[in-house]
Amino acid sequence: MSLRTLLLCCCAASMAESWRQTSDPRDELPELHIAGLFHREDWQDILAFRAAVDRINMDKLVLPHVRLVPIVEIVSPVDSFSTGKRLCNITRQGVSAVFGPKSSETLGIVTSICETLEIPHILTHWETSPRPAKFQINIHPDPKSLSQALVALLDDMAWRTFTIIYENDDGLVRLQEVLKVHGPRDNPITVRQLGEGDDYRPLLKEIHNTSESRLVLDVSTERIVDLFLQARQVKMMGDYTSYLVTSLDAHTLNFSVVNSWITDKRNIANITGMRLVDPTSIDVQNAVQDWVFSERLRGNTINITPEEVKTSAALMYDAVHMFAKSLHRLNQTAPEIYEAPLQCDGFQKWEHGERLITFMKMTYSNPANEERGMTGLIALDPSAEYRRTNFTLTLVETNSNNATGTWNMTGIHLFRSVEEMERSEKQKLSKKLMRVVSRLGAPYLMKLDNWTEDSRNDGLEGYAMDLIHEISLILNFKYEFYLVKDGKYGSLNPTTKQWDGIIKDLLDRKADLGICDLTITYDRERAVDFTMPFMNLGISILFSKPQEPPPNLFSFLSPLSLEVWIYMATAYVGVSLLLFVLARITPYEWSNPHPCNQEPTELENTLNLSNSIWHNIGSIMQQGSDIAPQAVSTRMVAGMWWFFTLIMISSYTANLAAFLTVNRMDDTITSAKDLAQQNKIKYGCIEGGSTQAFFKNSNFSDYQRMWAAMEAARPSVFPKSNAEGVDRVLKSKRSYAYLMESSSIEYEVERHCELMQIGNHMDSKGYGIAMPMHSWYRTLISGAVLKLQESGKLAALKEKWWKQMHGGGKCQKEASAGEASANELGLDNVGGVFVVLISGCAFAFLVAVLEFILNTRKVAIEYKISPKEALLMELKFALRCRGTTKPVHPNRESTPSSADTQSVVQLNNFKRLVANPDK
């Protein structure tokens, strides 16, 4: 308490003792005494009480024929006997109304005396009795309505989780509506009692360790400043902490002292309060002038401003005016009220008391008679036991004393629009240096060659840095990156209930933002706040591509199985033999070889065995032949053979296209279900990440089976980083599959062409920017992310870091080349056809050589020359490559007498023709 306050208290006490000797110039008017029971520290209430009486006595429109006399009594807040004795002394002289006291220990005896003597009892403090006494009126706002105002304010500020710190049981009554509306399915709230003593730090440390940053304070005004001082010592006065103070006098505190404790003026906790007294109101300003003027008339000089007026003093001022105006109206409609001396131990009651208290209740419950005072509209609610429910509270940022809105029975009404509040938050953010925590992992964050521990932003690059840079351009703030020490994303230890990694740094307020490939999960979102996802993805499988089979020269045989080829060959031979046999049996295949001779001595059959074979091979090759069956039976066989070859060749052609243009790859697994149903291929995921938590907590049978297999695998299948997992897949030769986010798989597949993604997404999730819980700039950052998404900037950043930077797009080019080669058959695909062609030609050449040798032997025998001479002669003729005629060999039917001579002549002619075929 300040020196000025102590002096004023002493002055008030001394003036209270001498008040009965104070006279008024209008001594001729009848007097009505009103008693005020105050505690020694209620010096403002005493000023208000006396100033209100002085104002009424000077007002010619209110009680012009009656003079009010204030009786000020300083009573003990704990001594009810002394308080009752003093009140009885006052009633012996006569009193029209009793105001106060505040203390619950002495209130009971005062209420009992007033009820017994039927004296109006007017209260101006928080009173929680379920039903007020008959002769009692309390113009303090109704506790239930105040609690409803707190509920509306908490809802407007979107406080879903918070901690309540209360001082005594009355605080729980004030917060009853807050506790009622919080259902069992809502986020949990914590209720903690401040306790005795002046050291609040142990309690504050416990709250700080829970990472709670929103607190509702229901403590006496005198303890608020000390509580904030100790909160600063436990690091709970930063800009991530918000306080809602329920005291209606919090605005009277000197928060400039609180602000001076904070070295960084941009990082001060947000303290919100409510006030019933509006210092800017003309009624309040005029009343304060009355207080100063009233004390000056008594020879006292006080310095008080409207901002320092306490709620209880303003209520006392309004209560006296309320009593005076009600008495004035009653005197106009009924005989004037006079006082009578009353004995506390007697049987006499004040005859005007019941009529006066009833008239007061009826007057101020009528909307037509509502009055305005220092505390706004004064109205009593008959449906709520004549409590004051219709009032207005001003919402104040108490550390800056700026009014932000009002509350009344219709709800919250803010002074600033959403655009204005967003503009103010942007301005505040522009003055803040944002510390961004991340971890190394391509392409989100990577070290440059010049990176050192102190290089910060200059030694790092990646998608995360570009994203924060784009957001900073929109919101105009500065940022600084640093790497988390343990290199982890952040997981909750089920035993210690402690977080690690990036999440821990955010909880400890070491960082303002956390960004990398950080998945938004249920547990993490309960610990920190996230923006809207800047990238959507799901868990998938990274696996090695199967090796392509070696080229097969005879791949053209693949469309048909070996069994089919054997059956085709058998069918070919069988049908050829059948055609030959039927041609010899049927008479219609035997024809006249000389059509000019009508009576031939012999018939000829063209379907001999060689011709039958040639006919069928021509059908298979789709070329046909000049040999045609004549009989019905042979034509039926030929037709069935043609139908057979049509189907077989069509099927072969269709399958050949597929076999020659598509490389069959051995995909051992195609989905997560395939992984779960086999035990040859091991699989795992990064240790401590969201993917591991997904399998661990999944209720799906296949995923449960996979988690059991991963846990039981030895050696461990949980790498420490994604890079380690990818390297293991590359070296495992298709014996290990890695489960990771699809976006990271896309990045690796772009750079390692021997890797591929298998199966669809097992879940749906997103990467978000994390920040401490209840961060005031969360909406701004989310809005910036949404703006980047709508403008296509997020897609451009992903295109840059996935497909352009650091070897991106390599596999895409190879895939394009592979696609082009798939449309063009190479020699490896059709080489076997060339082998068959070359082999057939070579075999034909050998047959021709054999025929040539046999013919040479025949010529040597017929012409009776040596084989060598015949060979040279025939070879010389064949190699000339010109001429289209060749001499006929000697007739074997020549007569013996002339055979030798004729043979010599013909041989000479043959040699001459061989030497010169043109002649």
Side-chain angles (χ1 to χ4, degrees), residues 602-616:
E602 58 183 13
L603 300 177
E604 184 180 22
N605 190 339
T606 58
L607 284 176
N608 54 28
L609 182 59
S610 61
N611 286 345
S612 297
I613 293 175
W614 177 251
H615 172 271
N616 288 348

Side-chain angles (χ1 to χ4, degrees), residues 474-583:
I474 296 175
L475 300 178
N476 190 29
F477 64 81
K478 296 180 180 179
Y479 60 92
E480 180 183 76
F481 267 79
Y482 78 93
L483 300 179
V484 63
K485 290 184 178 180
D486 58 10
K488 296 182 179 180
Y489 295 98
S491 59
L492 180 64
N493 189 311
T495 304
T496 63
K497 302 299 180 182
Q498 296 294 319
W499 287 88
D500 57 15
I502 292 175
I503 304 298
K504 178 176 174 56
D505 277 22
L506 293 172
L507 292 174
D508 293 341
R509 307 291 191 268
K510 293 180 180 178
D512 302 298
L513 298 173
I515 183 171
C516 60
D517 48 338
L518 186 64
T519 307
I520 303 173
T521 64
Y522 174 75
D523 287 336
R524 288 173 181 168
E525 200 162 28
R526 292 179 64 188
V528 297
D529 278 340
F530 280 95
T531 63
M532 65 163 291
F534 61 82
M535 188 179 297
N536 294 304
L537 56 136
I539 299 174
S540 193
I541 304 171
L542 181 68
F543 200 44
S544 299
K545 288 181 179 179
Q547 296 181 353
E548 296 184 8
N552 184 6
L553 291 177
F554 297 96
S555 59
F556 65 91
L557 298 175
S558 300
L560 301 178
S561 65
L562 177 61
E563 184 181 16
V564 174
W565 283 115
I566 294 174
Y567 279 122
M568 282 186 62
T570 304
Y572 167 70
V573 174
V575 172
S576 299
L577 292 176
L578 178 61
L579 184 63
F580 168 70
V581 171
L582 292 180

Side-chain angles (χ1 to χ4, degrees), residues 693-710:
F694 168 77
F695 285 99
K696 184 177 181 180
N697 302 324
S698 177
N699 293 324
F700 188 54
S701 58
D702 286 342
Y703 298 157
Q704 288 179 336
R705 190 185 310 166
M706 292 175 68
W707 172 247
M710 286 188 281

